[in-house]
Amino acid sequence: MFPILLDLRGKLVCVIGGGAVGSRKARAAVDAGASVRVVDPQVVFSLPGPITHIAELYRAEHLEGAALVFACATPEVNTRIVTDAHQRGIWVNAASSPDAGDFTLPAVVRRGGLTLAVSTEGASPALARRIREKLESEFDEVFAEWVQILAEVRTEVLATVTDEARRRELLDSFADWSWLTRLRTEGAEAVRQAMRASL
């Protein structure tokens, strides 16, 4: 499997099946900035954000305009969805048969701009979940602050430091674990100022 992070902002994601699995996929797509179309005669979850519900049985036409498809219906319907998506050149994830689709989803930990993804390529979703839980405890919300500060300072480094070797040296040094320790003890503003003083 080829690990990849997709930019779904402004894209349409189609979720066929509004049960528990479909709910998780729809919410993850909304969190990634996508517009979501849920196709199911009945939906058991609330529809927050940019989610459109089509209360119908699945038809191939429901995939029109989609950049990504999640097949979360019955195995029989999912098989049709995969075939229809492939005919249209749309990447599809099949909940009931991951090997039939084009991609699987890893277990994910998000801390602001930091994303950690764990996959066992389907060998053991339970192990992937346990590793994710371990990472959640080790990578707390302070990492989100650190990534935000690094993004801000990186922009300043690229704008003000003309020597390429010096830029690399600075950016590498700001990613040192000692800055995380300082962030925990001194706070975000002190760390920002200390990094800027290095420029």
Side-chain angles (χ1 to χ4, degrees):
M1 302 296 282
F2 186 78
I4 188 171
L5 294 172
L6 294 177
D7 182 357
L8 292 178
R9 291 173 295 179
K11 302 281 176 41
L12 174 63
V13 172
C14 194
V15 178
I16 313 300
V21 175
S23 169
R24 288 196 301 273
K25 308 297 189 192
R27 290 196 171 102
V30 168
D31 289 345
S35 295
V36 176
R37 176 187 298 151
V38 176
V39 179
D40 193 312
Q42 295 182 330
V43 173
V44 296
F45 64 94
S46 61
L47 300 169
I51 298 181
T52 302
H53 175 216
I54 298 178
E56 298 174 356
L57 293 173
Y58 169 73
R59 298 190 320 273
E61 294 77 20
H62 291 133
L63 304 184
E64 293 304 324
L68 209 63
V69 175
F70 290 101
C72 305
T74 65
E76 179 186 351
V77 174
N78 287 349
T79 299
R80 286 175 39 219
I81 296 166
V82 168
T83 299
D84 294 340
H86 285 163
Q87 288 174 349
R88 288 162 174 74
I90 306 170
W91 285 6
V92 60
N93 169 272
S96 56
S97 181
D99 292 341
D102 301 298
F103 66 97
T104 60
L105 297 180
V108 174
V109 176
R110 293 186 193 279
R111 297 292 184 251
L114 176 66
T115 301
L116 305 171
V118 180
S119 172
T120 60
E121 295 194 9
S124 178
L127 176 60
R129 185 186 71 246
R130 289 202 170 109
I131 293 171
R132 184 203 72 216
E133 290 166 353
K134 183 173 175 56
L135 290 173
E136 283 175 335
S137 66
E138 293 179 7
F139 289 82
D140 60 13
E141 291 299 331
V142 177
F143 279 87
E145 285 186 278
W146 192 16
V147 170
Q148 178 61 39
I149 293 168
L150 289 173
E152 294 169 12
V153 174
R154 182 175 188 273
T155 300
E156 294 175 28
V157 168
L158 295 177
T160 60
V161 180
T162 56
D163 182 73
E164 189 175 334
R166 178 64 180 149
R167 274 193 305 226
R168 265 196 314 271
E169 178 187 348
L170 281 167
L171 295 174
D172 188 63
S173 70
F174 295 153
D176 189 84
W177 293 111
S178 62
W179 287 103
L180 178 64
T181 302
R182 289 185 67 174
L183 183 58
R184 291 187 190 285
T185 57
E186 300 174 31
E189 195 50 42
V191 166
R192 275 190 190 90
Q193 294 307 320
M195 287 182 176
R196 286 171 177 150
S198 302
L199 305 184

